[in-house]
Amino acid sequence: MALNPESIKSKAGLVLTGGGARAAYQVGVLKAVRELLPLPEKNPFPIVCGTSAGAINAATLAVFADNFDAAVGRLLEVWENFHVHNVYRSDPIGIARVGLRWLAAILLVSRTSPVSLLDNSPLADMLSRGLDFGRIQENIDNGCLYAVSITCSGYSSGQSVSFYQGGPDTEAWERTQRVGAAMPIRVEHLMASSSLPFIFPAVKINREYFGDGSMRQIAPISPALHLGADRVLVVSTARQTVHVDPPRVRGTFYPSVAQIAGHALNSIFLDSLNVDIELVQRINRTISLIAPEKLREAGLPLRQIKVLVISPSQPIERMVVRHVHELPWTVRFLLRGIGAMNRNGSNLASYLLFESGYCRALIDLGYQDTMARRAEVLEFLSPRQ
C-alpha cells in the first residue's frame, strides 16, 4: 500500500534520549502530549528516534503507531509496574554468578573475562514477548508511521550507527563517525542501544558488537533530520542547565567508583545533546539572515528546524535518595560496595532503579513539566501550515 501523504504531512520528529531507568520521565511527557491532542488516537510523530533506554520507548511507539493512545497506555502499564527483575537478574544466584565471574577474572583463575556487571536477559525476554516488530512495517505501509530509528555505538568501528526502518523515500546517510543504515528493527537493536557501558553486555548485529547508542553520538537530533523531520520534540532525561559557572565544591575524599561512573554516564547522556541543540540554533539564525531565493539559487537544501526540548525541572539525583531503598537487597549490596548507595553515588543508581515508586515519580515529573509548558507543546503539535 502506498504511503498516505496526509497522515505524514507534518513530518514532526520525536527524539527520545537515553538514561536507563530515567526514561520513565519520557513516558510522563508522552502522557501529557496524549492529553493535549484533540485526537489522541492519531500518531502526532511520523518520525520516531530513540537511543539507549529511549530506544525501547521509541520502538513501542512505532509498533503501536496506528493508535497513539494505546501506545502511551502500553508504556504507562509497563513503566508504572516496573521492577528490577524485569530488566536484569537481581536474584541471589544471578548476582552471585556475576560476582564470582569477576572475582575469578581478577584472581586470574578464569581466562574468560566477564562481559558486564549485570545480566539483562530478562529485558530481552520481556521485549520479545511484548512487541510484535512486524507491525512496524505495517504501520509504515498504512501511513501511520513514516520512519523509526534506533541508534547504537559500534565497538569496533567507533561509529554511531542509526538503524532505521522507513518508507521508500528514506535514504541512508554517512557523516563523520555517524551513519544511517536501513534495516528492519528487531529486539537486538533495542538491547544493543540500551546496553549501558560496563553494566550491560554488548550485542552482536551482523559482524560487529554494539553498545549503548549514547556513546559517541555527537548529533542526537540528526537521525530525525536525515529522515525528513521539519520540527523535533526532544525529550531528555538529564536536566538542562543554563550556562553559568557552578560554585566549586571542595572534596576531601577520593571519589567512589559509583561517583566516577555516574559522572561518566551523565557526560555521555547530556553533553552531546546540548552541543547539538546549540548547533541547530546557530544554523537557524544563519538561515534566517539569508533570503529563501538565495538558498534555492545556491542549491543549498537548508531549512529552519524548530526544536522543542523538554527535560526534568529538578535534579533526578535527589529523587533517587528517596527511592533507592526500593531496590532488592542483592542489588543494594552490590551497589553499596562501589559507593552507589550514598548521595555522592546516586547518579549511578538513578540509571538502575527500575522500581515502580521511582518510575512513577519520574512519570509524574515528566507530566507536570510538559503541562507547565502547555502553550509551547500545543504550538508544536499544531504548526501553521
Side-chain angles (χ1 to χ4, degrees), residues 95-265:
I95 294 293
R97 183 176 297 169
V98 173
L100 289 174
R101 286 176 182 170
W102 280 97
L103 181 61
I106 292 173
L107 297 177
L108 302 180
V109 175
S110 173
R111 295 183 179 181
T112 303
S113 299
V115 296
S116 63
L117 180 65
L118 297 169
D119 175 6
N120 62 347
S121 57
L123 177 61
D125 294 338
M126 183 183 73
L127 293 175
S128 298
R129 292 192 309 268
L131 295 178
D132 179 3
F133 292 93
R135 298 188 78 245
I136 293 179
Q137 189 59 49
E138 293 177 10
N139 290 327
I140 292 173
D141 293 339
N142 63 30
C144 296
L145 180 72
Y146 186 70
V148 57
S149 78
I150 304 298
T151 299
C152 308
S153 180
Y155 279 114
S156 298
S157 65
Q159 289 184 319
S160 176
V161 181
S162 294
F163 297 101
Y164 72 90
Q165 185 172 353
D169 294 334
T170 55
E171 297 181 357
W173 64 90
E174 185 171 356
R175 299 292 187 271
T176 302
Q177 293 186 338
R178 54 188 174 92
V179 299
M183 181 181 294
I185 301 301
R186 295 291 183 264
V187 67
E188 56 264 28
H189 298 100
L190 309 190
M191 296 303 296
S193 184
S194 60
S195 60
L196 292 168
F198 303 110
I199 298 174
F200 296 136
V203 178
K204 192 174 185 180
I205 301 176
N206 291 340
R207 297 185 299 273
E208 185 175 9
Y209 279 96
F210 288 87
D212 196 289
S214 296
M215 296 185 295
R216 310 199 75 170
Q217 189 182 31
I218 58 178
I221 303 175
S222 67
L225 304 185
H226 283 295
L227 291 172
D230 51 28
R231 65 190 194 281
V232 182
L233 173 63
V234 182
V235 185
S236 173
T237 60
R239 191 182 186 195
Q240 307 293 304
T241 56
V242 294
H243 295 283
V244 295
D245 294 330
R248 296 190 63 179
V249 179
R250 298 185 181 276
T252 57
F253 298 100
Y254 191 83
S256 65
V257 173
Q259 190 173 354
I260 295 173
H263 179 75
L265 289 175

Side-chain angles (χ1 to χ4, degrees), residues 314-351:
Q314 59 179 275
I316 289 181
E317 295 79 12
R318 297 178 184 174
M319 303 172 64
V320 175
V321 176
R322 298 195 297 268
H323 294 278
V324 72
H325 67 276
E326 299 171 10
L327 285 167
W329 71 267
T330 50
V331 180
R332 295 201 306 270
F333 176 80
L334 181 66
L335 295 180
R336 185 175 290 110
I338 58 175
M341 294 298 292
N342 56 47
R343 184 176 296 273
N344 288 336
S346 61
N347 261 324
L348 178 59
S350 72
Y351 294 98

Side-chain angles (χ1 to χ4, degrees), residues 259-279:
Q259 190 173 354
I260 295 173
H263 179 75
L265 289 175
N266 279 353
S267 299
I268 291 173
F269 291 122
L270 176 61
D271 291 352
S272 59
L273 177 61
N274 285 340
V275 173
D276 203 23
I277 291 172
E278 289 180 358
L279 177 61

Side-chain angles (χ1 to χ4, degrees), residues 291-303:
E293 57 271 16
K294 295 294 184 181
L295 290 173
R296 288 193 295 270
E297 291 173 4
L300 297 175
L302 298 176
R303 64 191 190 280

